[in-house]
Amino acid sequence: MSEAQGSPSRPQRWANHVHPREWLYEFIGTFGQLGLAYALVASLESPLSPLNQAIPNPTVRLILIGAGIGALAAVVAISPLGRRSGAHLNPSVTVGFWARGRMSATDTAGYIGAQILGACAGAALFAPALGQWAETAGYARTAPRPGINLGWALLIEIGLTFVLVLTVLLMVSSHRTKRWTPAAATLALAVLVPMGGPPTGASMNFARTLGPNLVAGDFTALWVYAVGPLIGAVLAALVHRSLGASWDVVTTRIYHAERHLMGDKRQGQSRP
């Protein structure tokens, strides 16, 4: 059940809705957002890049990477493509909505599959397009810092993802704040990426990690980025649920102004 079919403040739980067209839009959005995100990482982290030389402070570069990735996601979210699919662009966000009862199991699987395929396609295009920049930036991989205990790396990814997904869920729990979700997520990433970048790469997104790993042929500690974000997303949903009915999710779209809700009601459409 989508927000178009439930009450404006108390949307009903999803049943078995399937939205294959939205899966396609999610694939396209993830492909574009992460493909450009990988290029941004290479532009800032490759020693061959003038940007890397102009910004020697690694913390500043990580802030720019986090804000840039968030801004790219925001552009997709407010586009017609993103307004249709919801622009989750991250399996963790989709799992968070599923754990809150706002995504069917089938749509959840379809979205995650689309996001993974989009991330892999984006990485496959990014690597040859940037050539040595991509190679010298480690193909924009996220990996635990050498020597770090993998248990700590797992806990870091859980914590980072928990904060990101909870931020999204809180923002979409109010008609007043839901339109500002892209801005809140961008700000969260600008803070979280510098915090988690040095020890783990601050992925918070299994698809984002898997794409560059496939290109590089290196799957070291991939399980950390599969398990950590999943646990973090579910924990965020559980904490959000514990806040009570006044914090119920009113939309599963990262950007959803009231005019979009009214348009869905007029068209009688059911969308995630």
Side-chain angles (χ1 to χ4, degrees), residues 121-157:
L125 178 64
F126 142 78
L130 271 75
Q132 288 189 317
W133 281 25
E135 183 178 357
T136 54
Y139 296 104
R141 291 182 63 242
T142 56
R145 181 182 63 216
I148 189 174
N149 180 281
L150 292 185
W152 280 114
L154 177 66
L155 289 175
I156 290 169
E157 283 297 317

Tab-separated table of all heavy atoms in Angstrom, residues 121-157:
chain	number	residue	atom	x	y	z
A	121	ALA	N	27.164	-1.418	-13.017
A	121	ALA	CA	27.253	-0.796	-14.346
A	121	ALA	C	27.972	0.542	-14.262
A	121	ALA	O	28.791	0.881	-15.132
A	121	ALA	CB	25.846	-0.608	-14.921
A	122	GLY	N	27.692	1.321	-13.225
A	122	GLY	CA	28.367	2.600	-13.043
A	122	GLY	C	29.857	2.424	-12.859
A	122	GLY	O	30.668	3.166	-13.419
A	123	ALA	N	30.262	1.423	-12.071
A	123	ALA	CA	31.684	1.164	-11.853
A	123	ALA	C	32.346	0.659	-13.129
A	123	ALA	O	33.498	1.027	-13.428
A	123	ALA	CB	31.854	0.142	-10.731
A	124	ALA	N	31.639	-0.172	-13.884
A	124	ALA	CA	32.208	-0.713	-15.120
A	124	ALA	C	32.447	0.381	-16.157
A	124	ALA	O	33.396	0.309	-16.945
A	124	ALA	CB	31.283	-1.783	-15.688
A	125	LEU	N	31.604	1.410	-16.164
A	125	LEU	CA	31.800	2.527	-17.088
A	125	LEU	C	32.856	3.500	-16.561
A	125	LEU	O	33.668	4.024	-17.320
A	125	LEU	CB	30.476	3.259	-17.301
A	125	LEU	CG	30.522	4.490	-18.219
A	125	LEU	CD1	30.902	4.063	-19.640
A	125	LEU	CD2	29.181	5.207	-18.234
A	126	PHE	N	32.841	3.712	-15.251
A	126	PHE	CA	33.754	4.675	-14.636
A	126	PHE	C	35.216	4.279	-14.806
A	126	PHE	O	36.074	5.119	-15.094
A	126	PHE	CB	33.399	4.804	-13.153
A	126	PHE	CG	34.554	4.951	-12.208
A	126	PHE	CD1	35.207	6.166	-12.067
A	126	PHE	CD2	34.991	3.871	-11.440
A	126	PHE	CE1	36.267	6.314	-11.187
A	126	PHE	CE2	36.041	4.012	-10.553
A	126	PHE	CZ	36.685	5.232	-10.432
A	127	ALA	N	35.526	2.990	-14.627
A	127	ALA	CA	36.917	2.551	-14.636
A	127	ALA	C	37.629	2.853	-15.957
A	127	ALA	O	38.689	3.490	-15.959
A	127	ALA	CB	37.003	1.066	-14.292
A	128	PRO	N	37.092	2.448	-17.104
A	128	PRO	CA	37.774	2.784	-18.360
A	128	PRO	C	37.693	4.261	-18.715
A	128	PRO	O	38.588	4.798	-19.369
A	128	PRO	CB	37.056	1.929	-19.399
A	128	PRO	CG	35.717	1.637	-18.824
A	128	PRO	CD	35.920	1.575	-17.342
A	129	ALA	N	36.628	4.934	-18.285
A	129	ALA	CA	36.477	6.348	-18.626
A	129	ALA	C	37.548	7.203	-17.950
A	129	ALA	O	38.048	8.174	-18.538
A	129	ALA	CB	35.087	6.835	-18.230
A	130	LEU	N	37.924	6.864	-16.725
A	130	LEU	CA	38.911	7.662	-16.005
A	130	LEU	C	40.306	7.051	-16.020
A	130	LEU	O	41.253	7.686	-15.558
A	130	LEU	CB	38.463	7.907	-14.562
A	130	LEU	CG	37.614	9.174	-14.391
A	130	LEU	CD1	36.201	8.940	-14.935
A	130	LEU	CD2	37.542	9.602	-12.949
A	131	GLY	N	40.425	5.829	-16.518
A	131	GLY	CA	41.725	5.225	-16.743
A	131	GLY	C	42.628	5.220	-15.525
A	131	GLY	O	42.291	4.667	-14.478
A	132	GLN	N	43.779	5.869	-15.636
A	132	GLN	CA	44.764	5.853	-14.555
A	132	GLN	C	44.267	6.573	-13.307
A	132	GLN	O	44.683	6.250	-12.195
A	132	GLN	CB	46.079	6.470	-15.041
A	132	GLN	CG	46.848	5.585	-16.012
A	132	GLN	CD	48.235	6.138	-16.290
A	132	GLN	OE1	48.412	7.333	-16.477
A	132	GLN	NE2	49.215	5.245	-16.324
A	133	TRP	N	43.410	7.564	-13.482
A	133	TRP	CA	42.829	8.219	-12.304
A	133	TRP	C	42.062	7.193	-11.478
A	133	TRP	O	42.187	7.154	-10.253
A	133	TRP	CB	41.888	9.343	-12.725
A	133	TRP	CG	42.566	10.609	-13.130
A	133	TRP	CD1	43.841	10.749	-13.606
A	133	TRP	CD2	42.010	11.923	-13.072
A	133	TRP	NE1	44.103	12.065	-13.873
A	133	TRP	CE2	42.994	12.811	-13.545
A	133	TRP	CE3	40.778	12.423	-12.682
A	133	TRP	CZ2	42.778	14.185	-13.648
A	133	TRP	CZ3	40.551	13.793	-12.780
A	133	TRP	CH2	41.548	14.665	-13.251
A	134	ALA	N	41.266	6.374	-12.147
A	134	ALA	CA	40.497	5.351	-11.445
A	134	ALA	C	41.427	4.331	-10.786
A	134	ALA	O	41.244	3.970	-9.613
A	134	ALA	CB	39.551	4.646	-12.406
A	135	GLU	N	42.431	3.908	-11.521
A	135	GLU	CA	43.351	2.900	-10.983
A	135	GLU	C	44.118	3.417	-9.775
A	135	GLU	O	44.240	2.738	-8.755
A	135	GLU	CB	44.327	2.461	-12.079
A	135	GLU	CG	45.273	1.361	-11.645
A	135	GLU	CD	46.195	0.901	-12.760
A	135	GLU	OE1	46.046	1.414	-13.895
A	135	GLU	OE2	47.056	0.047	-12.492
A	136	THR	N	44.659	4.633	-9.866
A	136	THR	CA	45.451	5.187	-8.762
A	136	THR	C	44.587	5.605	-7.576
A	136	THR	O	45.106	5.851	-6.484
A	136	THR	CB	46.281	6.391	-9.239
A	136	THR	OG1	45.413	7.358	-9.858
A	136	THR	CG2	47.349	5.964	-10.233
A	137	ALA	N	43.270	5.697	-7.775
A	137	ALA	CA	42.353	5.958	-6.656
A	137	ALA	C	41.753	4.666	-6.121
A	137	ALA	O	40.769	4.696	-5.367
A	137	ALA	CB	41.241	6.899	-7.099
A	138	GLY	N	42.346	3.534	-6.511
A	138	GLY	CA	41.860	2.248	-6.023
A	138	GLY	C	40.484	1.898	-6.529
A	138	GLY	O	39.754	1.156	-5.882
A	139	TYR	N	40.139	2.428	-7.708
A	139	TYR	CA	38.819	2.200	-8.318
A	139	TYR	C	37.675	2.623	-7.387
A	139	TYR	O	36.574	2.090	-7.467
A	139	TYR	CB	38.658	0.738	-8.739
A	139	TYR	CG	39.622	0.330	-9.825
A	139	TYR	CD1	40.740	-0.444	-9.524
A	139	TYR	CD2	39.455	0.758	-11.144
A	139	TYR	CE1	41.644	-0.804	-10.511
A	139	TYR	CE2	40.355	0.402	-12.145
A	139	TYR	CZ	41.451	-0.373	-11.821
A	139	TYR	OH	42.355	-0.712	-12.792
A	140	ALA	N	37.968	3.594	-6.517
A	140	ALA	CA	36.962	4.127	-5.586
A	140	ALA	C	36.417	3.058	-4.651
A	140	ALA	O	35.281	3.152	-4.171
A	140	ALA	CB	35.819	4.788	-6.360
A	141	ARG	N	37.241	2.063	-4.335
A	141	ARG	CA	36.805	0.993	-3.436
A	141	ARG	C	36.690	1.499	-2.004
A	141	ARG	O	37.379	2.416	-1.592
A	141	ARG	CB	37.798	-0.171	-3.470
A	141	ARG	CG	37.841	-0.946	-4.754
A	141	ARG	CD	38.822	-2.118	-4.649
A	141	ARG	NE	38.386	-3.068	-3.645
A	141	ARG	CZ	39.083	-3.366	-2.547
A	141	ARG	NH1	40.238	-2.760	-2.301
A	141	ARG	NH2	38.625	-4.246	-1.683
A	142	THR	N	35.801	0.865	-1.245
A	142	THR	CA	35.787	1.038	0.205
A	142	THR	C	36.289	-0.262	0.802
A	142	THR	O	35.789	-1.344	0.472
A	142	THR	CB	34.376	1.359	0.723
A	142	THR	OG1	33.466	0.331	0.302
A	142	THR	CG2	33.893	2.694	0.196
A	143	ALA	N	37.277	-0.162	1.673
A	143	ALA	CA	37.876	-1.348	2.292
A	143	ALA	C	38.373	-0.968	3.682
A	143	ALA	O	38.740	0.188	3.926
A	143	ALA	CB	39.027	-1.878	1.446
A	144	PRO	N	38.384	-1.920	4.609
A	144	PRO	CA	38.904	-1.623	5.950
A	144	PRO	C	40.375	-1.194	5.885
A	144	PRO	O	41.143	-1.710	5.070
A	144	PRO	CB	38.747	-2.947	6.697
A	144	PRO	CG	37.679	-3.684	5.956
A	144	PRO	CD	37.848	-3.291	4.522
A	145	ARG	N	40.742	-0.254	6.710
A	145	ARG	CA	42.125	0.189	6.790
A	145	ARG	C	43.014	-0.996	7.169
A	145	ARG	O	42.645	-1.813	8.016
A	145	ARG	CB	42.248	1.281	7.845
A	145	ARG	CG	43.651	1.867	8.011
A	145	ARG	CD	43.643	2.903	9.108
A	145	ARG	NE	43.291	2.297	10.402
A	145	ARG	CZ	42.569	2.912	11.323
A	145	ARG	NH1	42.086	4.122	11.118
A	145	ARG	NH2	42.308	2.299	12.470
A	146	PRO	N	44.180	-1.140	6.548
A	146	PRO	CA	45.075	-2.247	6.901
A	146	PRO	C	45.362	-2.273	8.402
A	146	PRO	O	45.665	-1.254	9.015
A	146	PRO	CB	46.349	-1.933	6.110
A	146	PRO	CG	45.870	-1.152	4.935
A	146	PRO	CD	44.732	-0.317	5.447
A	147	GLY	N	45.206	-3.434	8.967
A	147	GLY	CA	45.479	-3.608	10.385
A	147	GLY	C	44.279	-3.442	11.287
A	147	GLY	O	44.343	-3.816	12.464
A	148	ILE	N	43.187	-2.896	10.781
A	148	ILE	CA	42.020	-2.701	11.638
A	148	ILE	C	41.326	-4.040	11.878
A	148	ILE	O	41.241	-4.896	10.976
A	148	ILE	CB	41.025	-1.691	11.016
A	148	ILE	CG1	39.931	-1.331	12.027
A	148	ILE	CG2	40.402	-2.246	9.747
A	148	ILE	CD1	38.987	-0.242	11.542
A	149	ASN	N	40.861	-4.241	13.078
A	149	ASN	CA	40.097	-5.434	13.402
A	149	ASN	C	38.781	-5.409	12.633
A	149	ASN	O	38.055	-4.395	12.658
A	149	ASN	CB	39.839	-5.474	14.910
A	149	ASN	CG	39.045	-6.702	15.331
A	149	ASN	OD1	37.840	-6.746	15.172
A	149	ASN	ND2	39.746	-7.698	15.863
A	150	LEU	N	38.435	-6.509	11.953
A	150	LEU	CA	37.223	-6.516	11.129
A	150	LEU	C	35.958	-6.398	11.969
A	150	LEU	O	34.930	-5.927	11.481
A	150	LEU	CB	37.185	-7.776	10.264
A	150	LEU	CG	38.247	-7.872	9.166
A	150	LEU	CD1	38.015	-9.098	8.303
A	150	LEU	CD2	38.244	-6.606	8.307
A	151	GLY	N	36.035	-6.817	13.229
A	151	GLY	CA	34.891	-6.617	14.114
A	151	GLY	C	34.619	-5.146	14.338
A	151	GLY	O	33.457	-4.708	14.325
A	152	TRP	N	35.689	-4.356	14.528
A	152	TRP	CA	35.517	-2.921	14.669
A	152	TRP	C	34.997	-2.308	13.379
A	152	TRP	O	34.154	-1.404	13.398
A	152	TRP	CB	36.844	-2.260	15.062
A	152	TRP	CG	37.158	-2.375	16.519
A	152	TRP	CD1	38.178	-3.075	17.094
A	152	TRP	CD2	36.424	-1.779	17.603
A	152	TRP	NE1	38.138	-2.961	18.463
A	152	TRP	CE2	37.079	-2.163	18.808
A	152	TRP	CE3	35.298	-0.969	17.681
A	152	TRP	CZ2	36.632	-1.754	20.057
A	152	TRP	CZ3	34.845	-0.560	18.941
A	152	TRP	CH2	35.500	-0.946	20.099
A	153	ALA	N	35.528	-2.787	12.239
A	153	ALA	CA	35.060	-2.272	10.947
A	153	ALA	C	33.563	-2.528	10.787
A	153	ALA	O	32.811	-1.663	10.305
A	153	ALA	CB	35.841	-2.928	9.809
A	154	LEU	N	33.127	-3.712	11.208
A	154	LEU	CA	31.701	-4.047	11.130
A	154	LEU	C	30.883	-3.105	11.997
A	154	LEU	O	29.848	-2.582	11.563
A	154	LEU	CB	31.498	-5.493	11.577
A	154	LEU	CG	30.044	-5.988	11.613
A	154	LEU	CD1	29.464	-6.044	10.209
A	154	LEU	CD2	29.971	-7.357	12.281
A	155	LEU	N	31.330	-2.877	13.216
A	155	LEU	CA	30.603	-1.984	14.117
A	155	LEU	C	30.534	-0.562	13.569
A	155	LEU	O	29.508	0.124	13.717
A	155	LEU	CB	31.254	-1.982	15.502
A	155	LEU	CG	31.078	-3.257	16.327
A	155	LEU	CD1	31.885	-3.165	17.617
A	155	LEU	CD2	29.606	-3.519	16.633
A	156	ILE	N	31.606	-0.113	12.936
A	156	ILE	CA	31.617	1.235	12.357
A	156	ILE	C	30.585	1.339	11.244
A	156	ILE	O	29.817	2.307	11.180
A	156	ILE	CB	33.028	1.583	11.840
A	156	ILE	CG1	33.980	1.782	13.029
A	156	ILE	CG2	32.993	2.842	10.973
A	156	ILE	CD1	35.439	1.860	12.625
A	157	GLU	N	30.537	0.344	10.358
A	157	GLU	CA	29.560	0.372	9.262
A	157	GLU	C	28.131	0.271	9.804
A	157	GLU	O	27.215	0.903	9.268
A	157	GLU	CB	29.847	-0.748	8.259
A	157	GLU	CG	31.009	-0.469	7.334
A	157	GLU	CD	30.780	0.730	6.429
A	157	GLU	OE1	29.658	0.868	5.890
A	157	GLU	OE2	31.717	1.532	6.251
